[in-house]
């Protein structure tokens, strides 16, 4: 019943910016942790950033200071603002929802390609 749909990916030049969005539908508990993950071919899906219902955030060292995760609970949407993009940021970005009871959901992913 819970679905996550990402959007906002695309092709940008190095140094540019993108804002990804993840819209959540379905019934969920008041507490949850949302996250953004990045995956490139042949590699595991790596954590980029997380945010709790109380807007406490964490970031990977690679994106700290450049990316900002935020959420609008009224719109059931989480965002990832990506600035100063480099080619190393390219990949498919997935939205993740973690719920009490070891429940986890994934979106379909949105492609981000940073050109040099």
């Amino acid at each position: 019943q819970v679905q996550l749909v990402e959007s906002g990916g695309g092709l940008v030049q190095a140094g540019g910016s993108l804002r990804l969005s993840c819209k959540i539908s379905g019934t969920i508990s008041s507490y949850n942790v949302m996250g953004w993950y990045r995956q490139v071919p042949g590699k595991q899906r790596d954590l980029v950033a997380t945010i709790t219902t109380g807007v406490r955030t964490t970031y990977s060292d690679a994106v700290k200071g450049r990316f900002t995760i935020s959420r609008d609970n009224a719109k059931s949407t989480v965002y990832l603002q990506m600035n100063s993009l480099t080619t190393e940021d390219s990949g498919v970005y997935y939205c993740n929802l973690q719920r009490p009871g070891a429940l986890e959901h994934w979106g379909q992913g949105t492609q981000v390609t940073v050109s040099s």
Side-chain angles (χ1 to χ4, degrees), residues 1-95:
Q1 297 182 57
V2 177
Q3 293 185 321
L4 284 64
V5 180
E6 302 99 330
S7 62
L11 175 64
V12 298
Q13 294 179 316
S17 299
L18 282 175
R19 189 180 75 161
L20 307 183
S21 299
C22 176
K23 182 68 170 63
I24 306 145
S25 62
T27 302
I28 61 175
S29 62
S30 58
Y31 174 80
N32 60 77
V33 178
M34 301 292 301
W36 285 98
Y37 289 72
R38 183 180 68 90
Q39 187 170 33
V40 297
K43 296 184 178 180
Q44 68 177 13
R45 194 171 296 182
D46 293 325
L47 178 66
V48 175
T50 65
I51 185 167
T52 69
T53 305
V55 300
R56 185 182 182 90
T57 61
T58 65
Y59 297 93
S60 70
D61 290 339
V63 307
K64 184 74 174 181
R66 298 188 297 117
F67 291 9
T68 302
I69 188 171
S70 62
R71 64 192 298 166
D72 186 335
N73 291 327
K75 296 182 178 179
S76 299
T77 303
V78 62
Y79 305 95
L80 184 68
Q81 178 67 47
M82 305 186 295
N83 298 326
S84 301
L85 286 163
T86 74
T87 57
E88 298 299 316
D89 297 317
S90 297
V92 178
Y93 283 74
Y94 294 89
C95 182

